[in-house]
Amino acid sequence: MFKFGSEINKNEVEPKKSKKQMAIAERHRELILIAKDIISAEGFHGFTMDKLASASGYSKGTIYNHFASKEDVIVTISCEALKTLAQMYRKAYEFEGLSRDKVVALNVAYRIFSRLEPVLFMCVLTSKTPWVVEKSSAENIEKQNLAEEMLIEIADKFILDAIDGEDLKLAPTASTDALIFANWAVAFGSNALLNNATNSQCIERIKDPYSVLYNVNIVLDGMNWQPLSSRRDYKKVWREVEQTIFADETAYLAQIGR
Amino acid sequence: MFKFGSEINKNEVEPKKSKKQMAIAERHRELILIAKDIISAEGFHGFTMDKLASASGYSKGTIYNHFASKEDVIVTISCEALKTLAQMYRKAYEFEGLSRDKVVALNVAYRIFSRLEPVLFMCVLTSKTPWVVEKSSAENIEKQNLAEEMLIEIADKFILDAIDGEDLKLAPTASTDALIFANWAVAFGSNALLNNATNSQCIERIKDPYSVLYNVNIVLDGMNWQPLSSRRDYKKVWREVEQTIFADETAYLAQIGR
DNA sequence: ACCTGAACACCGTTCAAGT
DNA sequence: ACCTGAACACCGTTCAAGT
């Protein structure tokens, strides 16, 4: 099972740290987890810097040594969320199957992530909002971009493999970036709209578990990524992915009924 | 030229109002416009209820007679934004051309809207965020849903026409809702990611004016909406739409360089 | 019935003093 | 060098008093 936080700061290139620095890094990890818990329990409005201070046992001054502002905490969580997502993408890449099956696995990963960790997903969404962007440090926004780049790099592998295996042909005017962007846009859009599905009827009617797959199929068919959805049962692939590489997560989600 | 606010409250079904009620409705319109201006000038953090009060000349108590909370103001702006967008969609529907050309027009409308009125677009995006949802009145969220339904209703016409004209075949397992959702997801996702394009490289490389069209083409090709993008120059259609029905808006955007 | 603005409570942020 | 928490400023929200 993927656990948010297990990797926080671990994969950063930071040569030889002093004991002090190690302790600070450890505290950083701790604070992010506590912040996430507060948001889970009390919502974004219930999350205050005071609560983060008292729940962690550190003073407010120390909290502000770690984060430039309240919004900075959200961006930091979002960064870590993207790293967790990257791990899941890497696992999706390991799925044994056709190149297009792997993309299905990628989208299963994204969908599971957004349901398994709604708060993290919301932090990512909220980080795209002026309310957060306006007040977060340039340095942290840069980190966020790097985390996004990392995801794009992984996504690139899926596409390059497909081109290598001749399941996909790049139009002379297109680039892999364009394809990644199309995928990203539809995945981000679908999940953002679905997770917020308050009670809009259109979305209500569409809330079946495969609606994301449906959108993905349209996009991949549009790219002419072989085999087309008319010639292969990608619902079955979706289920296979859920039951093999993401079996634990799927079982857990079924158990808590989300 | 589409002007946000010109239609505020005008198309609501509200039978015979007293003079007092008319005045209140008028003030409502006024407040929304002022709120938007403050956000434009000073950002979402610069927007405070105090400023809305003093800029409008009304007391805070009166402001709170109109809006349940600060977040409620954002949702209200978002609602009105969706109504403005609906007008633009209706105009796109009038574009003379193939059924698929009209969908291109729809997406030109959306793209123009998001550039012409970035603040409104951000209000729509921000309204999908827990920060706002948590604190807005149920009644207002309902209004937001109705505004979305209205957009969906318009979008439905584009699809039904295409089915009528046999440019598009509905798969037995699919529904028009599913197609609308796919379109909506890719449009929302593309524009959200593009408008926030801080400096992510993938997005940077892709920031040409037709990247939304590119995604739309993929989606419509995936639906097998005739004629396919390989058989028709939709860039040309996109430009035609810009230069005919949205000529004023396009000229204005070029002038201010956005 | 509607409007007002002083008053309140809460929370983000800072910084002088402490270790 | 890092930590503390009292103090400050600001802002969302309310409500008794006024018209």
Side-chain angles (χ1 to χ4, degrees), chain A residues 33-44:
Chain A
L33 292 174
I34 294 170
K36 191 199 127 189
D37 285 344
I38 298 174
I39 296 173
S40 293
E42 315 190 35
F44 279 76

Side-chain angles (χ1 to χ4, degrees), chain A residues 43-46 71 122 125-126 128-131 133-135 141-142 145 148-149 152 171 173-174 177-182 184-186 188-190 192-194 196 198-203 205-206 211 214-215 218-219 221-223, chain B residues 43-46 71 122 125-126 128-131 133-135 141-142 145 148-149 152 171 173-174 177-182 184-186 188-190 192-194 196 198-203 205-206 211 214-215 218-219 221-223:
Chain A
F44 279 76
H45 272 279
E71 288 72 20
M122 284 305 168
L125 177 63
T126 308
K128 297 240 156 263
T129 263
W131 176 66
V133 175
E134 284 171 10
K135 296 248 303 187
I141 295 282
E142 184 52 32
N145 284 331
E148 273 179 9
E149 287 294 327
I152 289 164
T173 56
D177 280 334
L179 298 187
I180 291 176
F181 180 56
W184 187 8
V186 83
F188 178 79
S190 305
L193 294 174
L194 274 176
N196 274 289
T198 41
N199 26 19
S200 168
Q201 272 187 48
C202 170
I203 287 203
R205 272 170 257 150
I206 251 167
S211 54
Y214 193 78
N215 285 355
I218 289 174
V219 167
D221 284 353
M223 293 173 179
Chain B
F44 279 76
H45 272 278
E71 287 73 19
M122 283 305 169
L125 177 63
T126 308
K128 296 242 154 264
T129 262
W131 175 65
V133 175
E134 284 170 10
K135 296 251 301 187
I141 295 281
E142 184 52 31
N145 284 331
E148 272 179 10
E149 287 294 328
I152 289 164
T173 57
D177 280 335
L179 297 188
I180 292 176
F181 180 56
W184 188 8
V186 82
F188 178 78
S190 304
L193 294 174
L194 273 177
N196 275 288
T198 40
N199 26 20
S200 170
Q201 271 188 48
C202 172
I203 288 202
R205 273 171 256 149
I206 251 166
S211 55
Y214 193 79
N215 284 356
I218 290 175
V219 167
D221 284 351
M223 293 173 178

Side-chain angles (χ1 to χ4, degrees), chain A residues 62-211:
Chain A
T62 299
I63 303 294
Y64 275 88
N65 276 342
H66 285 271
F67 308 105
S69 67
K70 183 185 165 179
E71 288 72 20
D72 226 38
V73 179
I74 308 288
V75 180
T76 307
I77 295 176
S78 166
C79 277
E80 297 307 328
L82 292 176
K83 285 180 197 165
T84 306
L85 188 57
Q87 277 183 271
M88 294 179 76
Y89 275 17
R90 276 187 213 104
K91 192 158 172 186
Y93 185 71
E94 303 299 321
F95 182 73
E96 304 269 346
L98 305 179
S99 68
R100 192 166 153 164
D101 292 353
K102 291 191 177 198
V103 179
V104 172
L106 191 86
N107 282 281
V108 173
Y110 198 47
R111 185 80 200 122
I112 285 181
F113 170 75
S114 81
R115 289 187 301 149
L116 199 62
E117 296 281 10
V119 171
L120 298 188
F121 187 78
M122 284 305 168
C123 284
V124 175
L125 177 63
T126 308
S127 291
K128 297 240 156 263
T129 263
W131 176 66
V132 169
V133 175
E134 284 171 10
K135 296 248 303 187
S136 44
S137 62
E139 173 195 11
N140 233 357
I141 295 282
E142 184 52 32
K143 268 191 194 165
Q144 167 101 344
N145 284 331
L146 285 177
E148 273 179 9
E149 287 294 327
M150 193 171 55
L151 282 179
I152 289 164
E153 215 169 276
I154 300 170
D156 219 28
K157 287 200 296 179
F158 289 77
I159 289 177
L160 293 177
D161 278 11
I163 293 173
D164 272 1
E166 304 203 336
D167 291 333
L168 179 66
K169 273 199 186 62
L170 215 52
T173 56
S175 63
T176 61
D177 280 334
L179 298 187
I180 291 176
F181 180 56
N183 240 309
W184 187 8
V186 83
F188 178 79
S190 305
N191 283 284
L193 294 174
L194 274 176
N195 276 33
N196 274 289
T198 41
N199 26 19
S200 168
Q201 272 187 48
C202 170
I203 287 203
E204 198 55 50
R205 272 170 257 150
I206 251 167
K207 223 177 174 178
D208 86 273
Y210 298 107
S211 54

Side-chain angles (χ1 to χ4, degrees), chain B residues 132-227:
Chain B
V132 169
V133 175
E134 284 170 10
K135 296 251 301 187
S136 43
S137 63
E139 174 195 10
N140 232 357
I141 295 281
E142 184 52 31
K143 268 192 194 162
Q144 166 102 344
N145 284 331
L146 285 177
E148 272 179 10
E149 287 294 328
M150 194 172 55
L151 282 178
I152 289 164
E153 217 169 272
I154 300 170
D156 220 27
K157 288 199 295 179
F158 289 77
I159 289 177
L160 293 177
D161 279 9
I163 293 173
D164 272 1
E166 305 205 333
D167 290 334
L168 178 65
K169 274 199 186 65
L170 214 54
T173 57
S175 63
T176 61
D177 280 335
L179 297 188
I180 292 176
F181 180 56
N183 239 308
W184 188 8
V186 82
F188 178 78
S190 304
N191 284 282
L193 294 174
L194 273 177
N195 274 33
N196 275 288
T198 40
N199 26 20
S200 170
Q201 271 188 48
C202 172
I203 288 202
E204 198 53 50
R205 273 171 256 149
I206 251 166
K207 224 176 173 178
D208 87 273
Y210 298 107
S211 55
V212 172
L213 173 63
Y214 193 79
N215 284 356
V216 170
N217 273 340
I218 290 175
V219 167
L220 298 181
D221 284 351
M223 293 173 178
N224 205 27
W225 195 319
Q226 301 295 324

